[in-house]
Amino acid sequence: MSERDDFSEATKKIIASRAGYLCSFLGCGQLTLGPSNESSTSISKNGMACHINAASPGRGSRRYNFEMSIEERTHANNGIWMCYDHGKLIDDDESRFTTDILLKWKEIAEQTAKIMQERKCTYEDAISIYNFSNLITDKISFNNLGHETEIIGNTLKDCCTEISWGKKSENITRDYLIELARNAFIHGSATEIELEILEDKIILIDNGNEFNPKKLLESKKIRGGFIAAETFQNNDCNLVTTYKRDYNKNIYSISKIRKAEDVESLTPCNLRITYDDFRKGTLDFSIFEHCNEIFVILPNFLTPSDIGLIINLRDELLKLEKQINIVYYDISEHLVKWIIDENPYWRIIKI
């Protein structure tokens, strides 16, 4: 008698149908059902219903949940539809493909199939339409070089960075993180790196020597670290990074800014300005003494007659000798151009 809590044939059909018989492995979308050449009524299938929480305990069954009942374990909610290749992959590597990741992939696959049906579009178009804003949370660590590209690249992809942030943002972030990891091991004498994916940010931590990533830019040498750091610094994807040294560890945090609240959660080195702040002179810049860079959130609907206010702000910010990031939502493009032209060293972020 089998010790596995397998799906019934009816349940397998539900799992497959809700995914549109498309592989749910993120980015695959392969159709797993079609005609067979054996006869005019034969069907070719190359899909399988995989357990999200494992069907049985034992060696290698990290996703087995002892608290689940048999009914829960064999329910369609606990199944995800995969092509044969990806089904074997997720079963063989349960440390990479966690329960949380597979549950989110199931959600994305079913919503993608729904969009394809409703809008009569391709899998690729449906994925781009699907509004998946948060990353999937995960945490991994590694102790040496050799597989850092695959570890970091796969983790970002598995956690939906491409869908949530966009492919260009994912590529820039991946290259930057890989260079930081290599630098930590090669030059910083690090013995461990942690990569943590939160819903709204990506954090890399190493236990090596203190290293501010701005040093990658200061070298001016055309090497991998400089290219990755310069590309990140000049990106037009609203990607921002912060750095701090804490408990003898380097902590790098990367976020994609979509709204002012994202800035405020990213760093305490932010200043949201109102018209009253401008006119009453209530701005306090002393709090930024220990900040390496400052994010200034401008009020909406600034007009050309507010140029004097911006000049006063610039004069105060120049005294700090810090990297300045200007964040705005709705300001006329001609005024934004003036700000850029007058302050070429400021980074301008539109949300």
Side-chain angles (χ1 to χ4, degrees), residues 130-144:
Y130 179 55
N131 185 24
F132 189 81
S133 57
N134 292 334
L135 303 175
I136 300 174
T137 59
D138 197 11
K139 187 175 184 179
I140 62 168
S141 62
F142 50 103
N143 302 315
N144 50 54

Side-chain angles (χ1 to χ4, degrees), residues 276-288:
D276 285 343
D277 294 327
F278 267 130
R279 292 173 177 136
K280 295 179 181 178
T282 55
L283 294 170
D284 180 13
F285 294 95
S286 62
I287 61 174
F288 301 120

Side-chain angles (χ1 to χ4, degrees), residues 119-136:
R119 303 203 183 188
K120 300 178 177 63
C121 62
T122 65
Y123 172 82
E124 289 75 15
D125 288 341
I127 282 287
S128 65
I129 292 170
Y130 179 55
N131 185 24
F132 189 81
S133 57
N134 292 334
L135 303 175
I136 300 174

Side-chain angles (χ1 to χ4, degrees), residues 25-72:
F25 192 93
L26 197 64
C28 179
Q30 178 185 352
L31 183 61
T32 61
L33 183 71
S36 169
N37 292 330
E38 291 187 1
S39 73
S40 60
T41 59
S42 297
I43 298 173
S44 174
K45 298 179 181 179
N46 65 325
M48 58 192 297
C50 301
H51 283 76
I52 295 174
N53 290 281
S56 61
R59 185 179 180 87
S61 297
R62 297 191 183 188
R63 292 201 305 265
Y64 188 81
N65 184 351
F66 287 91
E67 296 182 358
M68 292 185 77
S69 66
I70 295 176
E71 289 74 18
E72 290 172 325

Side-chain angles (χ1 to χ4, degrees), residues 69-294:
S69 66
I70 295 176
E71 289 74 18
E72 290 172 325
R73 201 171 290 117
T74 57
H75 195 277
N77 290 344
N78 190 42
I80 184 169
W81 190 253
M82 294 277 173
C83 66
Y84 284 153
D85 288 342
H86 285 135
K88 185 177 187 307
L89 182 63
I90 68 168
D91 281 344
D92 289 347
D93 193 349
E94 293 190 344
S95 61
R96 173 183 168 188
F97 302 107
T98 65
T99 299
D100 287 343
I101 284 176
L102 294 182
L103 283 170
K104 286 296 184 181
W105 282 10
K106 177 183 176 73
E107 174 189 335
I108 292 170
E110 293 183 353
Q111 290 301 315
T112 300
K114 183 178 181 182
I115 292 171
M116 291 174 67
Q117 181 186 40
E118 292 177 347
R119 303 203 183 188
K120 300 178 177 63
C121 62
T122 65
Y123 172 82
E124 289 75 15
D125 288 341
I127 282 287
S128 65
I129 292 170
Y130 179 55
N131 185 24
F132 189 81
S133 57
N134 292 334
L135 303 175
I136 300 174
T137 59
D138 197 11
K139 187 175 184 179
I140 62 168
S141 62
F142 50 103
N143 302 315
N144 50 54
L145 292 176
H147 300 285
E148 71 281 357
T149 55
E150 293 89 351
I151 292 172
I152 294 174
N154 285 334
T155 301
L156 295 186
K157 194 164 292 293
D158 293 347
C159 291
C160 297
T161 309
E162 180 177 340
I163 293 178
S164 178
W165 289 8
K167 187 171 185 61
K168 183 177 180 181
S169 294
E170 180 194 52
N171 290 345
I172 292 173
T173 300
R174 181 194 64 224
D175 291 353
Y176 186 57
L177 290 172
I178 289 172
E179 294 298 337
L180 287 174
R182 289 177 177 172
N183 183 81
F185 281 128
I186 297 172
H187 303 293
S189 300
T191 59
E192 183 180 47
I193 284 180
E194 298 176 13
L195 180 63
E196 183 173 11
I197 313 295
L198 302 178
E199 288 188 348
D200 60 347
K201 67 183 66 175
I202 299 169
I203 301 172
L204 186 140
I205 303 173
D206 73 70
N207 62 354
N209 302 326
E210 183 172 356
F211 182 79
N212 190 316
K214 291 190 180 299
K215 292 181 180 179
L216 293 173
L217 292 169
E218 293 170 357
S219 68
K220 299 296 183 182
K221 294 180 180 179
I222 307 302
R223 295 176 178 172
F226 171 79
I227 294 172
E230 184 181 49
T231 302
F232 191 97
Q233 177 73 18
N234 298 324
N235 79 83
D236 58 358
C237 302
N238 286 12
L239 294 171
V240 297
T241 182
T242 59
Y243 165 78
K244 67 177 180 179
R245 180 74 175 176
D246 198 13
Y247 296 106
N248 296 319
K249 293 184 178 182
N250 297 305
I251 303 175
Y252 312 95
S253 179
I254 297 175
S255 295
K256 187 176 179 73
I257 302 302
R258 293 189 174 101
K259 54 186 183 299
E261 289 75 14
D262 293 339
V263 179
E264 293 170 325
S265 66
L266 174 68
T267 173
C269 299
N270 72 83
L271 181 65
R272 187 195 284 258
I273 297 176
T274 68
Y275 278 103
D276 285 343
D277 294 327
F278 267 130
R279 292 173 177 136
K280 295 179 181 178
T282 55
L283 294 170
D284 180 13
F285 294 95
S286 62
I287 61 174
F288 301 120
E289 179 180 351
H290 300 291
C291 295
N292 294 314
E293 59 182 330
I294 304 169

Side-chain angles (χ1 to χ4, degrees), residues 317-329:
L317 292 174
L318 283 173
K319 297 176 184 177
L320 299 175
E321 298 182 345
K322 310 284 186 181
Q323 170 64 42
I324 304 301
N325 303 278
I326 300 295
V327 181
Y328 75 97
Y329 169 63

